[in-house]
Amino acid sequence: MGVNSNRVEDLPCHHDHHYQTTTVRNSSDIIDLEAMPPLEIHRVCLPPKQSTLQKLKHRLGEIFFPKNPLHRFKNQSWLRKLLLGLQFLFPIFQWAPEYNAQLLKSDVISGLTIASLAIPQGISYAKLANLPPIVGLYSSFVPPLIYSLLGSSRHLAVGPVSIASLVMGSMLTEVVSSTEEPILYLKLAFTATCFAGLFQASLGFLRLGFIIDFLSKATLVGFMAGAAVIVSLQQLKGLLGIVHFTTKMQFIPVMASVFSHRGEWSWQTIVMGVSFLLFLFTTRHISKRNPRLFWVAAAAPLTSVVVSTLIVFFLHSKDPQISIIGHLPKGVNPPSSNMLYFSGPYLVLAIKTGIITGILSLTEGVAVGRTFASLKNYQVDGNKEMMAIGLMNICGSCSSCYVTTGSFSRSAVNYNAGAKTVVSNIIMAAAVLVTLLFLMPLFYYTPNVILATIIITAVSGLIDYQAAYDLWKVDKLDCMACLCSFFGVLLISVPIGLAIAVGVSVFKILLHVTRPNTVAMGNIPGTQIYQNLNRYKEASRIPSFLILAIEAPFYFANSTYLQERILRWVREEEERIKANNEGVLKCVILDMTAVTAIDTSGIDTLSELRKMLEKRLLQLVLANPVGSVMEKLQQSKTLESFGSNGVYLTVGEAVADISSLWKAQA
């Protein structure tokens, strides 16, 4: 039987036309390779040679430009490139030339529909952030206009959201009181919004959007559920009519404040609150059961505001115990660039609040945009969305707005209402503008309790019981991350709960990297397929061979563990062979298919492992190493130590070729 003397070579690569016909016997099964087609032994090729600069260019392109956004500019005239550049920077140039009256009709309907939801939610979420209610309306006017120029999602409805409002309110209130120092608090809110925008736009510009991926789904499920519970408990102040209430955002202080101020409970407020809460939940249930009736839930908050305002207007002179919003100033957003706080003792607080709220709002906005894009089969560029949301918040901070992003509830209404383009955001902004200019006096008698019911109804949708149950069924570690996030937010604080959640997610990543999976493999009879022995009961061990698969990159972080784990596999296999009175173990094959990368520590570990096995009269063989691994093994001269029969293209070829060599030597 002829054996190739050197099966590792540079491109171009040719085949060795050597064929193996071997019979391998197992104590329980017989694997007859003679009954199968002749097996061709292939050369293991090195990747094409590239300079360091070429490798760096390719790697950076894969990291920062996985979608290759510049491919459309190839082989185009300069005029066409200019147009493509405008479309790339301002997506409005993509759809504007084809816009027509039919699209406008759909966008007007959806824009007015989400405006009916955005106006009461804007006022409510501003109070959640401990800001004047008018700031919520300001934030529903300018940011949607900016996004309509820069955003690439057709269905994203922009405005204040509950989670960002909660986080901003809780973080700023820990240091500065919104009632004792309202001007300073407002300055810090606008400054935090500016830093949130700068951070978001920087992530998009530098193509660093993968950073937000550290907020995994499990983390967000727990965080949002915990935040929703805290937000709902905080609304007991308005729902019960309590005047003196804690500003803390933890479960125990909030509940203690509720029961220690029982004397302030107002039965009139409670009756009104519970009644409208039932109304809002009923309308939401109707819309869920019949999606065509989406407008029922969308119009319910504004309807509640109108009806409750009328009730209080007629009863306030007789029963003034229900607290009201009071005066709201008319007019468009006043400039606030002079209120940005860039020096002083609270600058660090503004930066920290901005970054955390920026990450959360960015995660929600990009996720919502991608969700609805997938339903309509179009793509949303995550990095462009980050720049759009970031610039939107920077402009907002200079026009009396606080952190805004794409809201899931408003976007769902926008989608169901038949929105076709981002013009629906412009229509919504126009409706908010009319409200700011002419309708503000009508909100004077709006009761605070109705804002509390709107917030409770909105955030209750953030508690996803089914997702938590699915996490428990599928991945217990993910479920633990979810629970840590939930209880961290509920019992400690919102920022610390978020930090715990991220920490658990990072720990999970480190656990997978430092403790990768290794499995013993066997042959499925009648094939050249080798699979996990525990997973496939029909798979059979190959006498004298131990075949192991490494299912992770070979890095400094896991090289010592992998060495120890492989040696343990060898020891256990030798003990099994001795217990069953089988033949001796002669060869250890490492299936490197899943080893996507290797560093110098991994290379050194492989060399040490080969030497240790040689001392025990065992041969170490590598099967199917990927191109980058092969290249590093060759450059480090490690391939030479493995010899002519140390690297194979597949496990099947390794078993067949080495078995034939043993047979020839015998």
Side-chain angles (χ1 to χ4, degrees):
M1 180 70 196
V3 179
N4 179 29
S5 61
N6 183 13
R7 290 177 302 95
V8 179
E9 63 174 36
D10 297 340
L11 291 179
C13 193
H14 305 284
H15 298 305
D16 270 340
H17 298 287
H18 298 302
Y19 301 94
Q20 310 296 334
T21 55
T22 309
T23 300
V24 183
R25 294 186 176 271
N26 185 289
S27 58
S28 58
D29 299 284
I30 298 176
I31 303 171
D32 190 0
L33 297 179
E34 292 181 354
M36 301 170 59
L39 183 62
E40 182 180 351
I41 305 301
H42 299 81
R43 298 181 190 275
V44 182
C45 302
L46 292 168
K49 289 184 178 179
Q50 290 182 311
S51 65
T52 302
L53 186 61
Q54 288 174 320
K55 293 177 185 176
L56 181 62
K57 180 181 176 182
H58 174 74
R59 188 61 184 153
L60 291 177
E62 290 295 313
I63 293 173
F64 296 109
F65 302 96
K67 294 182 180 179
N68 190 15
L70 302 179
H71 73 281
R72 297 185 300 166
F73 292 85
K74 290 182 179 179
N75 304 320
Q76 301 289 344
S77 65
W78 67 270
L79 188 61
R80 179 65 178 164
K81 287 181 179 179
L82 178 62
L83 179 61
L84 290 173
L86 286 173
Q87 291 178 348
F88 181 78
L89 296 174
F90 303 99
I92 189 173
F93 286 101
Q94 290 181 346
W95 53 263
E98 301 175 358
Y99 202 72
N100 55 44
Q102 187 63 34
L103 295 176
L104 178 61
K105 178 183 175 182
S106 300
D107 287 336
V108 168
I109 294 172
S110 57
L112 293 175
T113 305
I114 57 175
S116 67
L117 183 62
I119 292 170
Q121 279 191 351
I123 296 172
S124 305
Y125 291 158
K127 288 186 70 67
L128 183 59
N130 299 315
L131 292 167
I134 191 67
V135 175
L137 288 181
Y138 291 157
S139 303
S140 300
F141 172 52
V142 172
L145 295 176
I146 303 298
Y147 183 81
S148 64
L149 295 174
L150 303 173
S152 58
S153 173
R154 303 172 197 165
H155 301 96
L156 197 69
V158 171
V161 292
S162 57
I163 295 298
S165 302
L166 166 69
V167 172
M168 176 173 283
S170 62
M171 292 186 69
L172 294 181
T173 306
E174 286 180 357
V175 181
V176 178
S177 172
S178 59
T179 54
E180 296 175 5
E181 299 177 280
I183 301 300
L184 176 60
Y185 188 91
L186 201 57
K187 286 182 176 180
L188 292 177
F190 293 153
T191 307
T193 301
C194 183
F195 281 115
L198 288 171
F199 178 72
Q200 292 166 336
S202 300
L203 287 183
F205 181 75
L206 298 175
R207 318 290 293 185
L208 297 176
F210 57 84
I211 289 177
I212 66 172
D213 292 336
F214 281 101
L215 287 174
S216 64
K217 178 185 176 181
T219 300
L220 288 174
V221 168
F223 176 79
M224 289 189 172
V229 173
I230 285 295
V231 169
S232 300
L233 293 177
Q234 271 285 338
Q235 300 319 301
L236 292 176
K237 173 186 178 182
L239 199 63
L240 301 176
I242 299 173
V243 178
H244 304 92
F245 200 72
T246 181
T247 58
K248 295 181 179 180
M249 301 295 288
Q250 294 89 27
F251 177 80
I252 295 175
V254 169
M255 295 308 297
S257 183
V258 168
F259 291 103
S260 63
H261 294 96
R262 288 193 300 270
E264 298 181 6
W265 292 12
S266 166
W267 70 266
Q268 299 95 330
T269 304
I270 295 173
V271 170
M272 177 176 282
V274 171
S275 300
F276 280 101
L277 200 59
L278 290 173
F279 169 70
L280 291 170
F281 275 118
T282 302
T283 56
R284 196 176 74 167
H285 179 71
I286 292 171
S287 295
K288 276 189 174 181
R289 292 289 299 271
N290 189 351
R292 289 180 297 179
L293 298 177
F294 67 90
W295 54 270
V296 174
L302 188 59
T303 304
S304 301
V305 169
V306 173
V307 174
S308 62
T309 302
L310 290 173
I311 293 173
V312 173
F313 174 75
F314 288 113
L315 298 179
H316 196 262
S317 58
K318 298 179 181 178
D319 189 3
Q321 297 211 11
I322 299 178
S323 65
I324 57 176
I325 292 177
H327 174 71
L328 294 177
K330 290 168 61 176
V332 297
N333 305 34
S336 58
S337 54
N338 60 324
M339 296 185 70
L340 297 181
Y341 185 97
F342 290 127
S343 62
Y346 301 109
L347 180 60
V348 174
L349 172 65
I351 294 173
K352 183 171 68 172
T353 305
I355 290 176
I356 292 178
T357 55
I359 290 174
L360 288 173
S361 59
L362 196 60
T363 303
E364 181 174 358
V366 173
V368 171
R370 285 175 174 167
T371 298
F372 291 104
S374 64
L375 294 177
K376 285 294 184 179
N377 196 29
Y378 68 93
Q379 282 192 327
V380 168
D381 188 327
N383 288 294
K384 285 170 67 176
E385 285 295 284
M386 291 174 194
M387 287 191 284
I389 294 173
L391 292 172
M392 176 179 77
N393 281 315
I394 292 172
C395 295
S397 68
C398 299
S399 54
S400 301
C401 304
Y402 77 107
V403 174
T404 54
T405 187
S407 162
F408 186 83
S409 59
R410 287 192 292 274
S411 299
V413 170
N414 197 31
Y415 175 84
N416 289 325
K420 302 299 181 185
T421 68
V422 288
V423 171
S424 59
N425 276 290
I426 299 176
I427 302 300
M428 178 188 72
V432 173
L433 175 62
V434 171
T435 304
L436 287 169
L437 291 176
F438 306 109
L439 305 180
M440 296 315 298
L442 300 179
F443 290 97
Y444 183 89
Y445 285 102
T446 300
N448 284 313
V449 64
I450 208 65
L451 303 182
T453 60
I454 291 171
I455 291 174
I456 291 172
T457 309
V459 301
S460 63
L462 299 176
I463 304 175
D464 195 340
Y465 304 100
Q466 186 60 46
Y469 178 66
D470 291 341
L471 289 174
W472 171 255
K473 286 197 303 181
V474 175
D475 191 326
K476 301 298 188 291
L477 198 57
D478 264 356
C479 187
M480 187 181 77
C482 175
L483 292 176
C484 287
S485 179
F486 176 77
F487 287 110
V489 171
L490 201 63
L491 301 177
I492 306 175
S493 72
V494 173
I496 293 178
L498 181 63
I500 291 173
V502 173
V504 172
S505 296
V506 172
F507 172 75
K508 181 183 176 183
I509 294 172
L510 293 176
L511 190 63
H512 285 306
V513 170
T514 59
R515 295 295 182 266
N517 195 31
T518 57
V519 297
M521 301 173 71
N523 178 256
I524 295 178
T527 72
Q528 288 297 330
I529 298 173
Y530 288 78
Q531 283 293 346
N532 189 340
L533 286 166
N534 288 329
R535 182 180 172 193
Y536 293 89
K537 300 304 180 184
E538 68 271 25
S540 302
R541 297 177 185 273
I542 309 297
S544 302
F545 286 92
L546 172 61
I547 305 168
L548 301 174
I550 301 174
E551 299 181 344
F554 214 136
Y555 282 137
F556 68 93
N558 60 24
S559 57
T560 302
Y561 168 80
L562 284 173
Q563 182 183 37
E564 293 172 351
R565 190 66 186 91
I566 291 169
L567 291 174
R568 177 182 161 190
W569 276 112
V570 172
R571 186 186 74 245
E572 291 174 348
E573 180 67 9
E574 289 178 334
E575 291 173 353
R576 187 195 67 81
I577 289 173
K578 185 177 180 181
N580 295 329
N581 295 319
E582 298 178 8
V584 296
L585 180 64
K586 297 181 181 179
C587 181
V588 178
I589 299 176
L590 296 184
D591 185 355
M592 307 279 283
T593 304
V595 181
T596 55
I598 193 169
D599 65 0
T600 52
S601 297
I603 293 171
D604 290 342
T605 300
L606 272 181
S607 298
E608 291 176 14
L609 185 63
R610 182 190 58 79
K611 293 174 184 176
M612 295 171 73
L613 293 178
E614 272 187 357
K615 291 179 181 178
R616 300 168 68 166
L617 302 179
L618 296 174
Q619 181 184 0
L620 179 63
V621 172
L622 308 180
N624 196 26
V626 300
S628 60
V629 173
M630 279 292 296
E631 188 175 28
K632 289 184 179 180
L633 290 175
Q634 189 207 36
Q635 290 172 346
S636 64
K637 311 267 185 213
T638 304
L639 277 182
E640 296 177 3
S641 62
F642 276 84
S644 60
N645 299 99
V647 183
Y648 288 86
L649 190 60
T650 67
V651 173
E653 292 183 9
V655 170
D657 194 41
I658 294 171
S659 298
S660 67
L661 283 173
W662 292 344
K663 186 177 180 182
Q665 291 170 357

